[in-house]
Amino acid sequence: MKRKPITLEDLELAIAKAVRETDSQCESLVGVFVERIVPKSRGEVNWALRGVRYGKAERTRCNAAIAVIVERLQSEYNVSDGLK
């Protein structure tokens, strides 16, 4: 399955938006940080979650949502070449 290209900024926004919509206790999540990584083998994802700014969001609930959302998006997207 081929992943669609996305910029780091758009990916960070997509993850944060999805987490906020998952649980009312995650609505105050400030954002997430994604970093580009070198895949260990061809066909693997080229990005990983680097950090989370929770703000006043409930960490435990947000972490559970983030884990599910990141796993799903890693199967859908690769960070675009040459873009931030």
Side-chain angles (χ1 to χ4, degrees):
M1 178 166 75
K2 187 166 172 98
R3 293 180 183 94
K4 296 177 234 169
I6 190 169
T7 64
L8 276 177
E9 182 179 280
D10 288 343
L11 182 58
E12 290 171 345
L13 292 173
I15 294 169
K17 181 179 183 226
V19 172
R20 288 184 199 114
E21 292 173 351
T22 300
D23 190 319
S24 62
Q25 293 189 6
C26 295
E27 288 177 356
S28 60
L29 180 87
V30 175
V32 299
F33 301 99
V34 174
E35 68 180 337
R36 187 177 177 138
I37 61 172
V38 176
K40 294 179 182 176
S41 67
R42 186 177 180 105
E44 286 190 11
V45 69
N46 70 346
W47 62 273
L49 188 68
R50 185 178 73 204
V52 181
R53 292 191 63 201
Y54 293 97
K56 295 186 181 207
E58 210 290 313
R59 288 176 182 245
T60 304
R61 288 184 179 225
C62 292
N63 282 337
I66 289 168
V68 171
I69 291 164
V70 166
E71 184 177 342
R72 177 175 50 87
L73 293 179
Q74 282 184 327
S75 68
E76 294 178 22
Y77 295 105
N78 260 337
V79 173
S80 302
D81 287 333
L83 298 175
K84 177 182 171 190

